[in-house]
Amino acid sequence: MGLLETIQSPADLKALPAPQVAELAREIRAFLVESVSKTGGHLGPNLGVVELTIALHRVFDSPRDTIVFDTGHQSYVHKLLTGRHDFSKLKKQGGLSGYPSRAESEHDVVENSHASTALSWADGIAKARRLKGERGRHTVAVIGDGALTGGMAWEAINNIAADKDLPLTIIVNDNERSYAPTIGGLADHLATLRTTRGYERFLDWGKNTLHRTPVVGGAMYETLHGMKKGIKDIVAPQGMFEDLGLKYLGPVDGHDEPALESALRKARAFGGPVLVHVITQKGRGYQPAVNDDADQFHSVGKINPETGLPFEVSGRIWTDEFNDEMVALGAERPDLVALTAAMLIPVGLDGFAAAYPDRVFDVGIAEQHATTMASGLAFAGLHPVVAVYATFLNRAFDQLLMDAALHKAGITFVLDRAGVTGSDGASHNGMWDMAIASIVPGLRLAAPRDGQQVRMQLREAVDVADAPTVIRFPKGDVGDPVPAVRQVGSLDVLHETSTEACDLLVVGVGAFAALSVDVAGKLEAQGLRVTAVDPRWVLPVSDDLVELARTAGAVAVVEDNLVTSGVGVAVTVALRDAGLDVPVHLHGIPKTFLDHASRGQLLDELGLTADAVATSLATRLH
């Protein structure tokens, strides 16, 4: 039996003799490579925090002490050390979540997987413990240098630092990366801290040497010690954190487990907020990950564990269409610029960045800043394209509303991973973007049905100079084009029984346009006259769609968005405002958080398949 199999709880880990810890770390890395290569998942981040997570659980007493992981990409080692060894269905229906999950363990706290939130969580938890008189309980927040670029993290630090006796330890897991290398002023500061470790050695030298100097030695040392801030700024500029009021420890080698335990015990005993700066290597111990320049295997699919190569070459995805068209547009439009929130490659801006490096701004994990900065760029005469995952638009709603829309800023937001994404769980489904966008005055939203439409509608969007526009598309392979049989004003008609009146008008939103064609065919086979259309620009609802609805006995809207607040509701309101009393049947995602599973499994559960929609509509129409 290996050591890992004997670790079913943090208590077992604490009982492990210190000489065996290094062997346990080796077993954990081997387990991660073997298991995650079969299922896919966040491999690189977890390989980098093996010793750090071991030290955390040997020093602190989870769950009595609360450990909060920012984002949660790096929680696999934590899962193993708290007794969760079955990774066979990681990120799959019925298996372990890819993030911390309260349903799985009392050791898990924050499961939202949106970055830069852990310090605020920890501040609240630590203050609550103190108010309840639970002074023996400690709180730990583990945050990466990438997540530390988010403004919310600094709002929390501002409050934490002011509370001098708060029993809170902040661990900055510094691997110089979020998905890709971390950039910005904070990244430069951390890089300086990594490379200038001489302060403590310098002060120790001064103490040992000057105390041996007769008469003036002691006074000279006191003077030297009084110059602490100035020396630190030169030799090791951790002064930024200490000026904020945080005790700073480090940098600590994140792969030296005894050194980590020593630093964490000091932090635990300090009696106030402490920042422990830990230097780790993403992908540690697995050479294919270390050698991967793009993201050091931040997230992988199924791979060959020997080589790190994928077993299957993926097809062309939606993101590729956007990537290529941005490069083409960049050549035609010198005013076109692009912004990303630390996700240049995942959102498909790497091609544009390679062609036009001066016209790309990676702002770190700071979607709010990206949106308002884009408003400034638009005011100054450029057309910004802000590319983020759909779920992360939530984070910048106020800026979208008040900075972009109120000021009629010509900004194009490109939302990747829109709709049901599946395996990453509740917080990564992009199922709120159209609900959010639907209440923003002046905003126009397009939902392309295929790759050709991504390209066409991106071009249409960047031509809009007086309002924000949104292009949204899902995760995965893009599939074949869905042809239109004819156009009716701004609408593409994808299927029709006849050009006359119909029993049902099916409105397919975005990637559900192909499903609407299938639904139309199934209902037509039952004797119904059906027309299926793609509105292309789904918000606001076009007059052309309202007019076409006048010839229909009923309307159905199928969308990959909250059914209570999306396009279907907007269509219903538009028809009522036009005096039409035609029934509108809505098919979308209920107001709930979806458990992790494949996209197909979730759509099947939600009744968002051609068979389910057709059956539901047939029952209502006959």
Side-chain angles (χ1 to χ4, degrees):
M1 176 184 290
L3 286 175
L4 179 57
E5 295 173 79
T6 69
I7 306 298
Q8 296 297 323
S9 71
D12 296 330
L13 180 63
K14 290 176 187 290
L16 190 71
Q20 293 185 295
V21 169
E23 176 57 30
L24 175 63
R26 284 191 289 271
E27 287 189 21
I28 289 173
R29 284 196 170 90
F31 176 92
L32 290 173
V33 172
E34 180 184 0
S35 298
V36 179
S37 66
K38 295 175 182 176
T39 61
H42 289 102
L43 182 56
N46 287 282
L47 292 171
V49 297
V50 174
E51 290 84 3
L52 173 57
T53 313
I54 290 172
L56 274 170
H57 280 294
R58 282 174 67 87
V59 171
F60 293 95
D61 185 21
S62 177
R64 177 172 171 76
D65 294 335
T66 301
I67 302 174
V68 180
F69 292 94
D70 201 285
T71 308
H73 292 153
Q74 76 288 53
S75 63
Y76 296 1
V77 185
H78 165 76
K79 288 175 186 274
L80 288 171
L81 298 178
T82 52
R84 286 166 280 177
H85 293 186
D86 184 3
F87 274 49
S88 61
K89 297 177 71 178
L90 177 69
K91 298 179 66 177
K92 293 179 172 56
Q93 192 173 44
L96 290 178
S97 167
Y99 298 93
S101 169
R102 291 182 180 182
E104 287 179 9
S105 173
E106 63 180 346
H107 297 279
D108 289 5
V109 179
V110 178
E111 53 188 62
N112 71 17
S113 68
H114 280 193
S116 310
T117 67
L119 300 187
S120 298
W121 271 98
D123 189 26
I125 292 167
K127 285 183 168 69
R129 302 283 194 229
R130 186 175 58 191
L131 279 170
K132 293 170 67 178
E134 300 171 352
R135 291 187 174 272
R137 303 181 71 175
H138 293 263
T139 306
V140 183
V142 183
I143 184 168
D145 57 302
L148 207 58
T149 62
M152 186 175 173
W154 290 92
E155 294 174 25
I157 285 175
N158 181 56
N159 283 271
I160 291 167
D163 197 336
K164 302 304 182 185
D165 67 347
L166 191 67
L168 172 59
T169 298
I170 299 169
I171 297 172
V172 176
N173 171 34
D174 181 4
N175 60 21
E176 305 181 58
R177 288 176 169 265
S178 48
Y179 291 83
T182 306
I183 64 171
L186 175 65
D188 291 344
H189 185 80
L190 291 176
T192 304
L193 288 173
R194 288 183 216 112
T195 55
T196 54
R197 306 186 187 191
Y199 167 72
E200 297 299 339
R201 291 194 299 272
F202 181 73
L203 199 59
D204 286 344
W205 168 84
K207 185 175 182 178
N208 294 332
T209 303
L210 295 176
H211 271 301
R212 293 196 301 269
T213 304
V215 185
V216 297
M220 287 180 66
Y221 174 71
E222 293 305 320
T223 301
L224 176 62
H225 201 270
M227 294 168 60
K228 177 178 178 180
K229 180 182 183 299
I231 292 171
K232 280 196 172 185
D233 285 344
I234 298 169
V235 183
Q238 58 262 50
M240 180 181 79
F241 295 110
E242 294 198 340
D243 286 348
L244 288 168
L246 284 173
K247 176 65 177 175
Y248 174 95
L249 294 177
V252 183
D253 182 348
H255 304 295
D256 183 339
E257 200 278 338
L260 286 166
E261 282 198 40
S262 176
L264 293 178
R265 292 188 194 283
K266 290 176 184 176
R268 192 178 194 275
F270 180 67
V274 181
L275 186 147
V276 183
H277 183 191
V278 178
I279 310 298
T280 62
Q281 180 186 35
K282 197 171 183 179
R284 177 83 170 191
Y286 184 46
Q287 208 57 41
V290 173
N291 293 341
D292 181 53
D293 291 334
D295 64 4
Q296 293 183 319
F297 283 23
H298 178 84
S299 181
V300 297
K302 296 179 181 179
I303 59 172
N304 183 328
E306 300 298 324
T307 65
L309 297 175
F311 281 117
E312 296 180 0
V313 178
S314 61
R316 189 166 180 82
I317 62 175
W318 291 82
T319 313
D320 294 332
E321 302 290 346
F322 165 67
N323 197 330
D324 291 349
E325 198 62 21
M326 277 294 291
V327 175
L329 277 166
E332 302 167 21
R333 297 270 305 257
D335 65 324
L336 197 70
V337 294
L339 296 91
T340 178
M343 298 182 73
L344 187 79
I345 295 173
V347 298
L349 283 177
D350 49 316
F352 189 86
Y356 318 105
D358 294 338
R359 290 156 60 184
V360 173
F361 306 99
D362 185 340
V363 302
I365 301 177
E367 293 85 358
Q368 293 171 298
H369 169 62
T371 302
T372 301
M373 178 184 171
S375 300
L377 290 165
F379 171 76
L382 301 179
H383 191 101
V385 175
V386 179
V388 295
Y389 283 5
T391 183
F392 297 132
L393 182 67
N394 309 353
R395 299 163 66 93
F397 173 73
D398 182 65
Q399 290 71 30
L400 172 65
L401 183 68
M402 293 299 170
D403 292 323
L406 177 64
H407 294 88
K408 297 180 171 57
I411 304 169
T412 296
F413 294 86
V414 176
L415 307 183
D416 204 322
R417 274 69 163 177
V420 173
T421 56
S423 61
D424 279 327
S427 65
H428 269 53
N429 289 309
M431 51 189 268
W432 293 279
D433 57 296
M434 291 195 290
I436 288 171
S438 70
I439 65 173
V440 177
L443 181 145
R444 307 173 210 180
L445 186 144
R449 67 179 181 266
D450 56 32
Q452 290 180 357
Q453 289 295 315
V454 169
R455 291 171 175 265
M456 291 175 63
Q457 295 191 270
L458 178 62
R459 287 181 171 272
E460 293 167 20
V462 299
D463 280 339
V464 177
D466 61 351
T469 53
V470 176
I471 308 288
R472 57 106 67 181
F473 48 79
K475 179 181 180 179
D477 293 346
V478 68
D480 296 327
V482 181
V485 297
R486 68 185 180 104
Q487 282 75 40
V488 176
S490 61
L491 312 178
D492 280 353
V493 178
L494 308 179
H495 176 99
E496 57 186 358
T497 307
S498 72
T499 57
E500 304 301 323
C502 62
D503 298 309
L504 178 68
L505 174 65
V506 183
V507 180
V509 176
F512 279 2
L515 180 145
S516 72
V517 175
D518 291 343
V519 169
K522 293 177 184 296
L523 293 175
E524 192 175 72
Q526 298 181 42
L528 295 170
R529 297 168 299 163
V530 186
T531 299
V533 299
D534 172 14
R536 301 186 71 251
W537 288 88
V538 297
L539 295 172
V541 177
S542 73
D543 293 339
D544 297 319
L545 182 60
V546 173
E547 289 306 308
L548 191 60
R550 293 185 187 279
T551 66
V555 175
V557 180
V558 189
E559 60 186 306
D560 201 354
N561 184 77
L562 284 186
V563 73
T564 57
S565 309
V567 176
V569 170
V571 168
T572 302
V573 172
L575 297 184
R576 298 296 177 265
D577 288 348
L580 289 179
D581 195 25
V582 59
V584 182
H585 305 292
L586 308 183
H587 299 266
I589 303 171
K591 192 185 294 184
T592 187
F593 292 111
L594 306 177
D595 291 334
H596 60 280
S598 72
R599 174 178 164 86
Q601 287 171 327
L602 288 173
L603 294 180
D604 187 59
E605 286 182 8
L606 297 170
L608 291 175
T609 64
D611 284 340
V613 173
T615 298
S616 173
L617 288 171
T619 301
R620 296 177 183 181
L621 295 172
H622 281 302

